[in-house]
Amino acid sequence: GKFMMRLKLPNGVTTSAQTRYLASVIRKYGEDGCADVTTRQNWQIRGVVLPDVPEILKGLASVGLTSLQSGMDNVRNPVGNPIAGIDPDEIVDTRPYTNLLSHFITANSRGNPDFSNLPRKWNVCVVGSHDLYEHPHINDLAYMPANKDGRFGFNLLVGGFFSAKRCEEAIPLDAWVPADDVLPLCGAVLEAFRDLGTRGNRQKTRMMWLIDELGIEGFRAEVEKRMPSGKLERESSEDLVNKQWERRDYFGVHPQKQEGLSYIGLHCPVGRLQADDMDELARLADTYGSGELRLTVEQNIIIPNVETSKTQALLQEPFLKNRFSPEPSILMKGLVACTGSQFCGQAIIETKLRALKVTEEVERLVAVPKPVRMHWTGCPNTCGQVQVADIGFMGCLTRGENGKAVEGADVYVGGRIGSDSHVGEIYKKGVPVTDLAPLVAEILVKEFGAVPRVREENED
């Protein structure tokens, strides 16, 4: 009788007022009332009961939020650079584009039947940073900044997705659009998918299956004829993303492009917050910043627009001394986990608490020289995106020592993000969750240069 409500939050930009309102909703639901920062840069609130929904929807509208077309076979939250507009090194501010896309797809939050019954869900992102914080290679449509003949616009990647049966990286459409054509192009791609995509086997209905069926040139031709002009330019060679760029860490204090202001990245362990946490975040955003918060696809939170003279006072706040640290440990900072069996009917195992517990155990076993991204997902639908993690854990049932069924995980290794992205591969199947910590420690030593803690202590 309880369910989750997912919000539209283009580019992960939210306000203290919105955060407080969501806190007020979940507070009344006791243990089941909580919020998650998702891997699509938005909020999900949990514990909601049906009789409360009309009132909640009114409250959402009053603070400029909507849950419209946020689930099922709809376009999911448009993702952008979490430090858009404040990043000294950004290529382009993604916020105007992600906002336009969100309003276009939902008809300005009135509801858009044109795009509300797709063959399957569909993800879009606009890239604005060399860091590729937006993870373009796992989106159905990704806008990659590129110039052409002195004009700014975007090269296009299409077809990236994860599912239980298949995972594919996005591929070039061999097309470029000027910035003014971001919406017409999105509409053309969605119409091609809507009109031509198969609607049978749910495991074969994501857009890449259609691209396979038509071939990339055939799919491109279908998109082209749905453009208002009937034309689509070929890809530009003037890609603006620096492929040699070393991905920056957004945790801690960083200067903004606006003089005298900084942003502070906070770790939000596996994206889970209670009502009091959200109220406190809202207070900090109001007290030290401009009342704005940014969510990231790694389930963390950024407070922008903090006067640099106030950063030390913010760092001394008790809230930042506990779970929501600006300086998380090296393994915790790259930890991502889906909802898991606590709230999700699809999940085979509990993920969030277990991800924290196993990571703590691993940190006692080995010292790691550099960040390692570890992702957990409760089932093969892979909402936790384990295939792009350095080490990924996909929930399953396996046999324990006594031969009985126990919770376990298939372990993936070698996923990459960034310009040389690729999907990780199975390292070991059906590992009981109780055996994961020593296995992860072994992988970290073998593949990531970790040092066993025991040897470290002996050498001292």
Side-chain angles (χ1 to χ4, degrees), residues 1-3 5 21-34 45-56 274-275 343:
K2 298 190 173 186
F3 60 94
M5 187 179 273
Y21 175 69
L22 296 176
S24 75
V25 172
I26 62 174
R27 180 169 277 111
K28 64 177 119 174
Y29 299 125
E31 283 185 11
D32 288 339
C34 62
I45 56 172
R46 303 190 179 279
V48 176
V49 295
L50 203 55
D52 293 348
V53 169
E55 203 55 43
I56 293 172
Q274 306 301 321
F343 294 119

Side-chain angles (χ1 to χ4, degrees), residues 204-387:
K204 294 186 175 182
T205 50
R206 291 295 295 270
M207 195 172 78
M208 186 61 101
W209 292 95
L210 174 63
I211 295 168
D212 285 346
E213 185 186 320
L214 300 176
I216 191 66
E217 273 300 313
F219 180 75
R220 187 187 186 283
E222 291 292 347
V223 173
E224 185 167 45
K225 73 185 186 191
R226 287 168 172 80
M227 289 293 286
S229 64
K231 291 191 171 64
L232 199 52
E233 295 186 46
R234 291 287 171 179
E235 185 170 277
S236 168
S237 59
E238 298 174 64
D239 183 357
L240 294 175
V241 175
N242 178 352
K243 290 182 170 58
Q244 273 65 57
W245 187 267
E246 190 165 334
R247 195 173 196 265
R248 294 168 295 166
D249 202 337
Y250 52 67
F251 292 112
V253 180
H254 301 271
Q256 292 183 191
K257 63 161 62 171
Q258 295 82 6
E259 197 170 334
L261 295 179
S262 296
Y263 67 87
I264 288 86
L266 304 182
H267 182 235
C268 180
V270 291
R272 173 61 51 83
L273 297 102
Q274 306 301 321
D276 289 350
D277 300 330
M278 297 176 82
D279 278 339
E280 188 64 1
L281 274 170
R283 180 186 74 80
L284 295 176
D286 285 339
T287 304
Y288 296 96
S290 57
E292 186 178 285
L293 295 162
R294 306 282 186 96
L295 311 188
T296 80
V297 296
E298 294 89 8
Q299 304 178 317
N300 295 306
I301 291 174
I302 292 167
I303 302 178
N305 305 317
V306 177
E307 286 181 34
T308 305
S309 59
K310 292 182 179 177
T311 54
Q312 284 311 306
L314 173 54
L315 293 174
Q316 295 309 309
E317 284 277 354
F319 188 74
L320 276 62
K321 299 292 186 185
N322 299 316
R323 288 168 54 234
F324 297 88
S325 171
E327 295 178 347
S329 69
I330 205 160
L331 288 181
M332 284 295 178
K333 68 167 60 173
L335 195 60
V336 168
C338 78
T339 305
S341 61
Q342 183 185 3
F343 294 119
C344 177
Q346 307 268 344
I348 300 164
I349 68 167
E350 195 282 318
T351 53
K352 287 199 181 281
L353 289 173
R354 182 165 282 125
L356 293 168
K357 182 171 177 286
V358 169
T359 304
E360 285 166 2
E361 286 178 38
V362 171
E363 287 180 329
R364 287 194 287 271
L365 294 172
V366 293
V368 185
K370 59 183 180 184
V372 177
R373 295 170 305 103
M374 298 197 293
H375 288 212
W376 287 70
T377 198
C379 78
N381 288 315
T382 197
C383 298
Q385 304 170 345
V386 297
Q387 291 88 349

Side-chain angles (χ1 to χ4, degrees), residues 52-273:
D52 293 348
V53 169
E55 203 55 43
I56 293 172
L57 292 178
K58 276 188 209 159
L60 290 175
S62 74
V63 291
L65 286 175
T66 182
S67 67
L68 195 71
Q69 290 175 252
S70 61
M72 294 300 291
D73 300 328
N74 275 289
V75 180
R76 299 304 174 86
N77 195 52
V79 164
N81 178 9
I83 46 175
I86 60 175
D87 176 4
D89 296 306
E90 75 181 348
I91 305 165
V92 61
D93 185 346
T94 56
R95 293 172 301 174
Y97 300 105
T98 50
N99 277 318
L100 281 169
L101 284 165
S102 201
H103 289 307
F104 169 64
I105 287 153
T106 63
N108 293 319
S109 299
R110 292 192 305 273
N112 187 348
D114 285 348
F115 303 131
S116 62
N117 184 22
L118 301 172
R120 200 72 164 83
K121 70 176 180 181
W122 192 88
N123 292 326
V124 62
C125 76
V126 182
V127 167
S129 71
H130 301 289
D131 310 85
L132 302 187
Y133 292 130
E134 309 83 359
H135 294 194
H137 300 93
I138 60 175
N139 279 263
D140 292 278
L141 174 62
Y143 292 87
M144 306 294 292
N147 287 333
K148 190 172 191 184
D149 305 327
R151 297 170 294 158
F152 174 73
F154 298 92
N155 284 332
L156 304 164
L157 300 178
V158 289
F161 81 107
F162 291 149
S163 75
K165 296 290 182 196
R166 181 183 176 193
C167 299
E168 292 290 344
E169 287 189 60
I171 59 175
L173 184 62
D174 189 15
W176 176 91
V177 291
D180 289 347
D181 279 354
V182 161
L183 294 189
L185 181 280
C186 181
V189 173
L190 280 171
E191 285 171 21
F193 179 42
R194 179 197 67 196
D195 299 346
L196 305 171
T198 59
R199 292 174 180 267
N201 180 348
R202 295 281 289 174
Q203 292 298 337
K204 294 186 175 182
T205 50
R206 291 295 295 270
M207 195 172 78
M208 186 61 101
W209 292 95
L210 174 63
I211 295 168
D212 285 346
E213 185 186 320
L214 300 176
I216 191 66
E217 273 300 313
F219 180 75
R220 187 187 186 283
E222 291 292 347
V223 173
E224 185 167 45
K225 73 185 186 191
R226 287 168 172 80
M227 289 293 286
S229 64
K231 291 191 171 64
L232 199 52
E233 295 186 46
R234 291 287 171 179
E235 185 170 277
S236 168
S237 59
E238 298 174 64
D239 183 357
L240 294 175
V241 175
N242 178 352
K243 290 182 170 58
Q244 273 65 57
W245 187 267
E246 190 165 334
R247 195 173 196 265
R248 294 168 295 166
D249 202 337
Y250 52 67
F251 292 112
V253 180
H254 301 271
Q256 292 183 191
K257 63 161 62 171
Q258 295 82 6
E259 197 170 334
L261 295 179
S262 296
Y263 67 87
I264 288 86
L266 304 182
H267 182 235
C268 180
V270 291
R272 173 61 51 83
L273 297 102

